[in-house]
Amino acid sequence: MGEGDTPLVRSRQLGPELGCSDLFFKLEGCNPTGSFKDRGMVVAMAKALEERSVGVMCASTGNTSASAAAYAAYCNLAAWVLIPKGEVALGKLAQAMAYGARILLVDGNFDAALALVREFTKTNPITLVNSVNQHRIEGQKTAAFEISDVLEDAPDYLFIPVGNAGNITAYWRGFVEYHQLGRNEILPKMMGFQAEGAAPIVRGEPVPYPQTIASAIRIGNPASWKFAERARDQSGGVIDAVSDDEILEAYRLLASREGIFGEPASAASVAGLIKLKHNGLDLTGKRVVCIITGSGLKDPDMAVSSAQADTVEVKPNLEAIENAIMETLPAR
């Protein structure tokens, strides 16, 4: 459906301000359903067809459900998605509905929904398409290939949000495989960031009731926990936490300074970069990539509620327009 080959764009303002002249953003919101999930879903769906599944099923905080529903529609497969009641952004839920998925609202969190999906698909001819399905990881690792091809090597640091931890697992796998093939000379430090209220890897224990405005990473017991720790440890990176305030500040900065509108969870990567820079990380001469995992249009309510819009009411005449503009015109 056109997944992959997403833009890798150089920072115009935030990079120089952070002392990093080689800062890039990987815009995964440019995938067909607006998030990185499409990379893995196309492989998982192909394998479901090979296995003659009658349908696919997933638990989701939103992005997986949208992707699964879209690819199921394309492949003429039935799709069932289990969604935590009241915890999914409206834009993502609307996508799953539009694509024709059967939506089951679970009175519980994501972890409870995923446990139900795993149990159900064990005994039914329906394919589980969450990232515990290793075909998903195989598809998602292609983003690491693309970054390496564009930069002609791996970056020094890769900053990435961490929710269910499949994506940090996939990127590390991709970079390692390219290195083994001689396509990369270096391996990046994997810098993963969870939200403070949903940071089980940072805490070292599951979070029964995860809370964060970044709904895509509101996960208390990541399915790929051990793989994420392996990526962190093997690369010499970190998995840390950022607050909701730090996420929202990065969310606004991305939009207002770089023209990049990512969903709140996407901004966790940039929030982590800013946090570590303020804590003394020296980025001089380093090449850094931040993964922007999904489009800001995924969560329109958050965009409206957190926007610092500069609006003024004017009368319908040219003089009023001129006065309003001249008052705010930057000095040359």
Side-chain angles (χ1 to χ4, degrees):
M1 291 175 62
E3 63 285 324
D5 197 23
T6 57
L8 183 69
V9 300
R10 184 186 291 272
S11 168
R12 292 293 302 275
Q13 297 192 68
L14 291 180
E17 290 172 9
L18 293 170
C20 179
S21 58
D22 273 346
L23 172 61
F24 298 85
F25 304 107
K26 182 66 167 166
L27 305 186
E28 289 292 271
C30 295
N31 278 297
T33 73
S35 87
F36 73 94
K37 303 285 187 177
D38 298 340
R39 290 181 180 274
M41 197 59 67
V42 67
V43 183
M45 206 64 63
K47 294 299 180 180
L49 290 171
E50 288 178 12
E51 294 160 5
R52 301 188 182 281
S53 291
V54 300
V56 298
M57 191 176 191
C58 68
S60 181
T61 56
N63 283 330
T64 298
S65 67
S67 186
Y71 281 84
Y74 183 77
C75 295
N76 196 29
L77 285 171
W80 294 269
V81 299
L82 271 65
I83 289 176
K85 184 179 179 181
E87 295 190 19
V88 174
L90 183 61
K92 301 173 188 179
L93 186 56
Q95 284 182 281
M97 293 168 65
Y99 296 133
R102 181 70 181 273
I103 298 169
L104 306 177
L105 297 176
V106 177
D107 192 10
N109 61 21
F110 169 84
D111 303 300
L114 180 57
L116 290 168
V117 170
R118 296 180 81 161
E119 192 64 29
F120 183 85
T121 53
K122 284 179 183 178
T123 55
N124 290 277
I126 295 172
T127 298
L128 184 158
V129 292
N130 283 96
S131 59
V132 291
N133 181 329
Q134 287 301 297
H135 299 310
R136 281 273 313 276
I137 304 299
E138 289 298 302
Q140 286 169 212
K141 74 183 182 185
T142 59
F145 299 163
E146 291 175 10
I147 290 170
S148 301
D149 288 343
V150 172
L151 299 180
E152 299 183 338
D153 204 345
D156 297 291
Y157 291 93
L158 186 109
F159 284 75
I160 188 168
V162 175
N164 212 27
N167 214 24
I168 189 171
T169 301
Y171 272 87
W172 179 239
R173 184 178 297 180
F175 284 123
V176 168
E177 289 183 6
Y178 245 35
H179 185 67
Q180 291 171 342
L181 291 168
R183 301 289 294 269
N184 286 340
E185 291 188 12
I186 66 171
L187 286 168
K189 295 182 184 297
M190 303 298 291
M191 317 297 279
F193 288 88
Q194 301 185 295
E196 276 186 356
I201 299 176
V202 178
R203 295 186 184 186
E205 60 183 6
V207 177
Y209 306 103
Q211 295 295 326
T212 172
I213 52 92
S215 61
I217 55 174
R218 191 187 293 143
I219 295 171
N221 191 13
S224 299
W225 186 324
K226 296 303 179 184
F227 292 114
E229 289 184 326
R230 187 181 304 168
R232 174 198 64 192
D233 297 342
Q234 290 180 350
S235 71
V238 302
I239 294 180
D240 201 351
V242 285
S243 69
D244 279 2
D245 286 344
E246 289 171 322
I247 289 172
L248 283 175
E249 178 62 18
Y251 170 78
R252 296 185 188 109
L253 285 173
L254 269 173
S256 63
R257 307 299 297 279
E258 298 287 354
I260 295 172
F261 186 33
E263 67 173 313
S266 295
S269 59
V270 179
L273 172 62
I274 294 171
K275 176 181 178 178
L276 293 192
K277 175 61 179 177
H278 289 167
N279 288 344
L281 178 65
D282 185 6
L283 298 173
T284 305
K286 302 299 183 183
R287 192 151 50 177
V288 177
V289 173
C290 289
I291 307 303
I292 311 302
T293 47
S295 167
L297 295 174
K298 292 278 192 174
D299 196 347
D301 290 341
M302 180 59 66
V304 173
S305 64
S306 67
Q308 298 172 328
D310 185 7
T311 61
V312 59
E313 186 173 339
V314 297
K315 292 181 179 180
N317 61 65
L318 185 58
E319 183 181 1
I321 299 295
E322 288 177 341
N323 289 338
I325 292 175
M326 296 305 293
E327 288 175 2
T328 59
L329 199 64
R332 291 201 174 191

